[in-house]
Amino acid sequence: MPASQRVVGATLLLFLLLQALFLASATLIDDADEDPEELEELLAIDEEVGQNGDGGGAHSRTSEAEMLRRAQRIVLELGNENAKKVIDTNEAVLLLGYAPWCPRSAELMPRFAEAATVLREMGSSLVVAKLDAERHGKAASLLGIKGFPTILLFVNGSALAYRGGFTKEEIVIWARKKTGVPVMRISSPSAAEELLRQHQMFIVGLFDKYEGPQYEEFVKAAITDNEVQFAETVDINIARLLFPDVGIEKKFLGLVKSEPERFENFEDNFEEQNILQFIEYNKFPLVTKLTELNSAKVYSSAIKLQVFIFAAADDLEDLHPLLQDIARSYKRNIMFVYVDNAEDNLAKPFMTLYGLESEKPIVTAFDNKIGSKYLLESDLTRNTLEEFCNGLLHGTLPPYFKSEPIPNEKGMIEKVVGRTFDALVLDSTENVFLEVYTPWCIDCKSTSKQVEKLAKHFKGLENLKFARIDASSNEHPKLQITNYPTLLLYLAGDKSNPVKVSKKSSLKDLIAFINKNVKPDVDSGNSDKKQDKKDEL
């Protein structure tokens, strides 16, 4: 795999991973410091107001803002004075480190507060707290908060980095799993109905008894997994309320999702890694819509072949049935991801990576095992998409390398693009001095001036030509460049091993280098012309 592909792919992945982990802007709710001893009294007042209201008037209905303020009061505010005491005197503390100016902190804080409310209602003894890490720098340093936002779980004073998602549900699941409740035990129909209401996705396990090696593997998988709620029961009738296709077997495991492909049956041996792999390959919908919240999960999926469909929301409505049908045929082998073109933060990095701009639906693909990317270059139809996916699955699809349009103009320094690299550089009978640059490169401008002087000096040498390529807009499998500018001399007798030229060389050194490596054509009569130009310089 070309190094340039690896760098570009890794940069895109890192860029989008950071977008998913640190979310877009929202309004920060600024809470005053509160004494933990006042917490119960404040909550009791809230409850009393709710119970004694007029029952139907505007004042009796709790607005979303009021609910959020109440949730925020459940989150204990820490400072330099009380942070260490709270951490040391509580068995488990879930802490959000934030900064008031940080928009990502602002987006996360309401979800964090809502998670605290849910944990409290579930009877969790977990203390949920927050710390203005900028205002209380001493406490932030003591607790190991180095960026914003940061979530840490302290168990008996020891910190555990947060590895869950960033929705209310995901925060609750992760916190419960890491504080001794990895599995919800379902013992009644009402509990089963509540599970269905609360969770869009969960694992259900049916066991004859809550013991034995297979059950132990189930629990280990529940502890290891950071995202999905696990539930267990010994009652087959309750299991069938959650997963209707449960048979008469004494043990069963299935994944329930809130989508048309709702039920996934586990058919492997009850071992931790098998269960975790089953979740990884089945937790996504047939067609996943890419969002800032789920992008990190999409890119890190165990399904390494991924097809991305870029389209406007209206186009997707028409395409969705087709995409669902084809995705069903490649289930667990290819992940299908839809990206709304209107979401610039998500769509634009891909378009830049491919060098594309289009209002029509675009289909691309990645093989994350080998770092290759692909493009459906024909119109999107059932036949073309099926052929594209089949080629991706069987490794017969040619990789895509972006290229600018083939230029018409010619000059003293020839412009090379991805599509002309073979013809103008590798297949050319001439020696080729190639400048590889990018528009954003700081040193490229001065190097380009040197190359222009060099090209002018050797203008009469017919077996040598000068060329340049913009590596930000053009790719080629045999152009493995990671630093810019890069100067390469492709000798006519050995185009497979270009000679790298130091970009720090003086003009005099560059001239000497070319004179040494490129011999003039004796029959061309150009030796005198070359010498005359050298004298002029």
Side-chain angles (χ1 to χ4, degrees), residues 214 244 329 391 447 535:
Q214 294 173 331
S329 302
T447 300
D535 293 340

Side-chain angles (χ1 to χ4, degrees), residues 266-309:
F266 177 73
E267 298 175 343
D268 209 337
N269 295 325
F270 272 67
E271 296 176 3
E272 179 188 358
Q273 289 305 313
N274 292 340
I275 295 171
L276 294 173
Q277 187 178 64
F278 167 74
I279 295 171
E280 281 297 312
Y281 277 86
N282 290 281
K283 66 184 180 181
F284 289 99
L286 285 176
V287 180
T288 300
K289 181 178 180 181
L290 190 70
T291 67
E292 291 181 335
L293 284 175
N294 70 8
S295 60
K297 297 178 188 176
V298 169
Y299 301 131
S300 62
S301 170
I303 303 176
K304 299 305 180 185
L305 300 178
Q306 299 181 342
V307 170
F308 286 76
I309 302 93

Side-chain angles (χ1 to χ4, degrees), residues 55-69:
H59 294 292
S60 66
R61 290 193 296 268
T62 306
S63 67
E64 289 185 11
E66 289 170 344
M67 292 175 65
L68 186 54
R69 280 194 291 271

